[in-house]
Amino acid sequence: MPATRKPLKPQDDQQRRLAWFRDARFGMFIHWGLYSQLGRHEWVMNRERIPVAEYEPLADSFKPGKWPARKWAQLAKEAGQRYMVMTTKHHEGFCLFDSALTDYNAKRRGPGRDLVAEYVEACREQGLRVGFYYSLMDWHHPDGARCARNEKARRRFVDYIHGQIRELLTNYGKIDILWYDVNWPLSPEGWESERMNQMALELQPDIIINNRNGLPGDFGTPEQHITPEAAGRMWEACMTFNTSWGYTPIDTDYKSARHVVEMLRQVAAGGGNLLLNIGPDPLGNVPAPCPSVLRQVGAWLQQYGPSVYEATDPFQGEWLITGAFTRKGDTLYFHCNRWPGSELAIGGLVCEITSARLMGGPKVKFRQVKDRLVLSGLPEKAPNPLTTVIELGFKGEPRQVLGAGHVVIDKDPWAAPTRKPAAKKTKAK
Ligand code: H79
């Protein structure tokens, strides 16, 4: 007799669906659309008040090169990224996928082909998980704004949006992430967001869904900042490479590899993921310096991967000018991004050290006197110019205690600091 499996409780099913994502750590975000041709930010239609009729011809002049997604996926793989999320439709309303619900789409207009299908195939070739970004807000659909004031318009628009999500989750095989964006101008009730998520889970029982249709979904999405969610709740920080999401060649302040590595440490410490964006040009080329920076990060991850992929949970809130930590069990990974020379001192570690080495390299001499740890005999120059990781082993889970006062722990340096019993509050009468 076939075993009948009991359905999991909703929270257990959520944990099951999230399992791969908790370990993923690093993904590639792609913003690509008609705005890429103008090169002045993905909000250009709105920011410059371009009338719909004037913007629409961009759908016909959009002529991407041959299968650019393949290059993106190769680059993601080289960078150590484990998943991708691409804009299937941004706020401009143009669909990169073939849709029966509008002809404002890549198959029927300039590109003449389904760019989402190409993207999905490219991800699969590289063994990357596949995410679909889909903007609920739509500046092109005639009901996209008036749906807030007109029930007939709302009905049509919500049917359109649900219908497109159905298409996306039906026509491309297994999809791993549904990444909604901007839910202006409706409430979750107006969007029928509960039903939207139910439909997604019926079509794709393993999918994870973000929180941008107004419901909590499966994970939080801090944008342009790295802020962990409440304990237990999964989150993913989405960050731009320069300051725009869409291709914007006049916006030239790109993050360095060292900066990306520090962001990876931060998300690791907080138990989240980093979704780092690139905005390809209209042909699909990735602007310099992104490919080179991503390859540097990938090489760095080859050497130091476990200190971000497998480590989390730092002790909270202490800073050092020389770097910062991640932790896995009894091991600390010190991400040294300002190399001090042959000696490195770390204050406040309240646990007995047993070993120190350059991660993946030679052992390092150490001495530990109470809460002052000094590593010595280090190379004068940083072994890795981006960030060098030093692996420190301890007897038990290390913690760091560094107050503002200069109080050296002088009793039992390896024990937890003795806490004074909380002074009893005497209520003022
Ligand atoms: O796709 C990228 C951005 O274009 C997009 N999200 C990332 C991933 C983004 N769009 N808007 N924002 C981020 C900022 C949010 C603006 C909003 Fe609003 C505030 C949306 C709803 C309230 C502006 C003001 C639009 C409606 C009212």
Side-chain angles (χ1 to χ4, degrees):
M1 246 173 74
T4 47
R5 214 182 286 162
K6 253 193 189 172
L8 294 171
K9 285 185 215 144
Q11 62 270 38
D12 293 341
D13 185 63
Q14 182 180 58
Q15 292 316 312
R16 177 191 70 78
R17 289 181 288 109
L18 279 169
W20 72 268
F21 193 58
R22 289 191 184 281
D23 292 333
R25 199 62 86 221
F26 194 20
M28 176 182 279
F29 211 172
I30 302 275
H31 273 70
W32 201 38
L34 303 184
Y35 48 79
S36 310
Q37 296 173 81
L38 299 179
R40 295 190 303 277
H41 196 277
E42 74 283 357
W43 272 63
V44 59
M45 180 179 175
N46 169 282
R47 295 292 91 179
E48 298 184 7
R49 284 291 182 267
I50 305 176
V52 171
E54 209 174 292
Y55 195 87
E56 270 181 345
L58 291 170
D60 301 308
S61 53
F62 189 30
K63 298 280 183 188
K66 195 185 167 202
W67 207 354
R70 205 170 202 180
K71 279 181 240 144
W72 310 337
Q74 282 164 357
L75 185 58
K77 191 75 186 180
E78 282 180 80
Q81 294 170 318
R82 293 174 170 175
Y83 65 101
M84 294 178 73
V85 178
M86 186 183 75
T87 52
T88 63
K89 184 199 83 170
H90 202 263
H91 314 331
E92 65 179 8
F94 181 74
C95 300
L96 273 63
F97 57 102
D98 189 12
S99 173
L101 304 175
T102 178
D103 70 358
Y104 201 46
N105 79 58
K107 181 74 201 274
R108 300 203 203 167
R109 305 297 284 273
R113 51 194 228 258
D114 186 325
L115 299 172
V116 168
E118 287 184 7
Y119 156 75
V120 170
E121 198 178 337
C123 291
R124 299 231 169 88
E125 278 183 358
Q126 297 297 332
L128 298 165
R129 298 272 183 165
V130 185
F132 284 168
Y133 167 108
Y134 181 81
S135 173
L136 302 179
M137 178 166 81
D138 191 316
W139 298 325
H140 178 265
H141 194 289
D143 296 318
R146 69 182 173 212
C147 61
R149 287 167 278 113
N150 176 322
E151 174 53 24
K152 277 189 180 153
R154 190 197 68 84
R155 183 72 267 150
R156 283 192 300 265
F157 186 52
V158 168
D159 287 346
Y160 175 76
I161 295 292
H162 283 231
Q164 290 208 317
I165 294 168
R166 177 177 291 282
E167 290 181 325
L168 285 167
L169 300 186
T170 303
N171 297 340
Y172 302 93
K174 186 167 182 277
I175 302 306
D176 299 292
I177 304 174
L178 179 54
W179 215 104
Y180 304 124
D181 201 8
V182 184
N183 62 350
W184 185 89
L186 298 174
S187 65
E189 294 71 36
W191 287 111
E192 305 179 27
S193 294
E194 291 282 0
R195 192 168 68 77
M196 191 185 283
N197 285 0
Q198 270 173 25
M199 168 181 69
L201 282 168
E202 275 162 27
L203 297 169
Q204 299 278 345
D206 298 331
I207 205 165
I208 57 172
I209 305 172
N210 81 353
N211 62 344
R212 293 193 177 196
N213 68 350
L215 298 178
D218 298 313
F219 64 98
T221 53
E223 177 167 332
Q224 300 289 45
H225 58 96
I226 297 178
T227 312
E229 299 258 312
R233 166 121 171 124
M234 193 47 195
W235 58 278
E236 174 203 64
C238 55
M239 305 291 291
T240 51
F241 224 124
N242 46 3
T243 74
S244 314
W245 300 89
Y247 177 63
T248 305
I250 55 176
D251 175 3
T252 55
D253 295 327
Y254 284 95
K255 293 179 178 70
S256 64
R258 185 166 167 283
H259 190 149
V260 175
V261 162
E262 170 55 15
M263 294 196 294
L264 283 171
R265 188 205 61 79
Q266 281 178 39
V267 295
N273 290 340
L274 174 65
L275 184 62
L276 180 61
N277 183 71
I278 55 179
D281 77 9
L283 293 172
N285 299 311
V286 179
C290 303
S292 125
V293 170
L294 286 171
R295 288 191 186 104
Q296 287 177 66
V297 172
W300 186 91
L301 281 167
Q302 284 287 321
Q303 189 172 358
Y304 299 123
S307 78
V308 300
Y309 290 126
E310 290 162 33
T312 57
D313 188 22
F315 26 69
Q316 298 294 314
E318 306 291 1
W319 63 269
L320 295 163
I321 191 61
T322 44
F325 297 95
T326 59
R327 179 176 69 81
K328 182 187 183 185
D330 297 349
T331 301
L332 274 188
Y333 298 101
F334 185 66
H335 289 228
C336 185
N337 57 15
R338 291 191 193 87
W339 191 258
S342 62
E343 272 201 3
L344 170 66
I346 299 172
L349 293 176
V350 187
C351 198
E352 188 176 349
I353 188 169
T354 56
S355 67
R357 61 168 62 248
L358 298 180
M359 190 174 175
K363 285 189 174 173
V364 169
K365 265 190 272 177
F366 59 83
R367 58 182 194 274
Q368 188 181 32
V369 180
K370 296 180 180 172
D371 56 359
R372 172 166 164 83
L373 171 67
V374 181
L375 308 178
S376 58
L378 293 163
E380 278 298 333
K381 278 199 175 153
N384 187 310
L386 292 187
T387 288
T388 302
V389 181
I390 302 176
E391 194 176 333
L392 306 170
F394 291 86
K395 272 188 187 162
E397 265 189 23
R399 293 177 310 116
Q400 191 185 32
V401 182
L402 271 175
H406 197 72
V407 182
V408 174
I409 296 169
D410 60 7
K411 272 193 172 171
D412 175 1
W414 322 125
T418 49
R419 277 203 209 133
K420 282 185 192 164
K424 271 187 190 166
K425 276 183 192 165
T426 46
K427 271 189 189 166
K429 277 175 196 167

